[in-house]
Amino acid sequence: MITTIVVLYLAKRNNVVKFPDFDRSVFLKIFPLPLLYVGNHVTGLASTKKLSLPMFTVLRKFTILMTMVLEAYLLRKTFPRRIIGCVVTMVFGAMVAASSDLAFDVEAYTFILLNDAFTAATGVYTKKKLGDQGLGKYGVLFYNSLIIVFPTVLASAFTGDLHKALSFEDWSKVTFSFCFLLSCFMGFVLMYSIVLCSYYNSALTTTVVGAIKVSANWFFGLFNVAVAYVGIFVGGDYLFSWTNFLGLSIW
């Protein structure tokens, strides 16, 4: 968030990008996007920790269905039958896999479904804010980070995470610090790419591309399937059953 604020502020000062100056109306224009953004990251981290890689990958596909429903409800968008059929097939596979998940955990499934909902809502509201609030793609990025960064820092201080981060031993190592700062900058690039994709396409397109489900490119499709299958053997937390494996394969 801080990297996004710094990069876009400097770019605005040097007339590289343009977005509206801050005023009281910005809060109304941008909300509830900052809250959805934080909810998406918190539930994403929690679900990643608690689920095996194959089940995490499969259950994330509910995001596509939720995005489609929210786009139809909030943005009044309609979809061709072939798209609806593809989404339903993926969700059906996920449901079959979940029905026989031997490592089923209520808390883990709650987090992943909340993460799906937050991701879908973030995508749809990003598209909505880009279209009707006059903030532009740079304004949405900048004010989303600016509004939520202070409550996030306070929350991390309250939970003790901020103290752990500041007292981390490897800050003195040049290699670690460089990689950390580079990851922060790439985080900004990622967020900008997501907003840019939503700006030129639909929220559903952004969600599908994010899941590496580009049907026109067989390589990315195979890569996504490979992640699920490799995750069965890597990590040691996947419990095999034929029904679960069938669900993974249908998806």
Side-chain angles (χ1 to χ4, degrees):
M1 296 176 193
I2 294 174
T3 302
T4 299
I5 294 169
V6 171
V7 170
L8 289 180
Y9 176 77
L10 293 176
K12 180 178 171 65
R13 285 291 300 270
N14 290 280
N15 296 317
V16 177
V17 302
K18 295 181 179 179
F19 54 87
D21 294 329
F22 182 82
D23 58 50
R24 293 181 179 179
S25 66
V26 168
F27 287 98
L28 295 177
K29 290 179 179 179
I30 198 68
F31 268 86
L33 198 54
L35 298 179
L36 296 174
Y37 175 77
V38 171
N40 182 29
H41 282 279
V42 171
T43 55
L45 288 170
S47 56
T48 303
K49 179 181 178 180
K50 291 180 175 294
L51 283 169
S52 65
L53 181 59
M55 289 309 300
F56 176 82
T57 305
V58 170
L59 293 174
R60 281 288 293 160
K61 298 304 169 284
F62 280 100
T63 302
I64 300 175
L65 176 63
M66 293 179 182
T67 301
M68 189 169 66
V69 172
L70 282 176
E71 271 200 304
Y73 178 73
L74 293 175
L75 304 180
R76 308 301 180 191
K77 188 176 177 63
T78 57
F79 302 95
R81 290 184 178 179
R82 66 181 184 278
I83 293 180
I84 296 175
C86 290
V87 172
V88 170
T89 301
M90 283 191 290
V91 171
F92 174 71
M95 292 178 66
V96 172
S99 68
S100 185
D101 181 11
L102 299 180
F104 176 80
D105 182 272
V106 174
E107 187 177 5
Y109 271 64
T110 300
F111 276 123
I112 190 63
L113 291 176
L114 283 174
N115 184 234
D116 292 342
F118 277 120
T119 303
T122 300
V124 173
Y125 271 100
T126 296
K127 181 66 176 179
K128 184 176 176 63
K129 299 304 180 183
L130 288 170
D132 61 7
Q133 297 296 339
L135 293 174
K137 51 185 178 293
Y138 300 111
V140 167
L141 271 174
F142 181 81
Y143 290 120
N144 180 53
S145 298
L146 182 66
I147 290 173
I148 207 64
V149 67
F150 298 109
T152 304
V153 170
L154 291 175
S156 64
F158 179 76
T159 59
D161 287 342
L162 182 62
H163 174 72
K164 292 179 182 178
L166 294 176
S167 59
F168 187 60
E169 296 178 353
D170 290 341
W171 285 119
S172 59
K173 295 183 179 180
V174 177
T175 303
F176 171 79
S177 297
F178 173 77
C179 291
F180 179 80
L181 292 175
L182 183 61
S183 71
C184 292
F185 180 75
M186 294 307 297
F188 160 72
V189 174
L190 173 63
M191 290 305 302
Y192 175 69
S193 302
I194 292 172
V195 170
L196 195 65
C197 185
S198 299
Y199 180 77
Y200 287 110
N201 301 287
S202 66
L204 182 62
T205 300
T206 304
T207 303
V208 172
V209 171
I212 320 179
K213 275 293 181 182
V214 188
S215 58
N217 192 325
W218 61 270
F219 173 78
F220 287 115
L222 290 176
F223 176 78
N224 204 23
V225 172
V227 169
Y229 283 139
V230 170
I232 293 174
F233 303 99
V234 177
D237 53 356
Y238 176 75
L239 299 179
F240 179 86
S241 75
W242 281 110
T243 304
N244 183 269
F245 182 76
L246 176 63
L248 294 174
S249 300
I250 293 173
W251 157 77

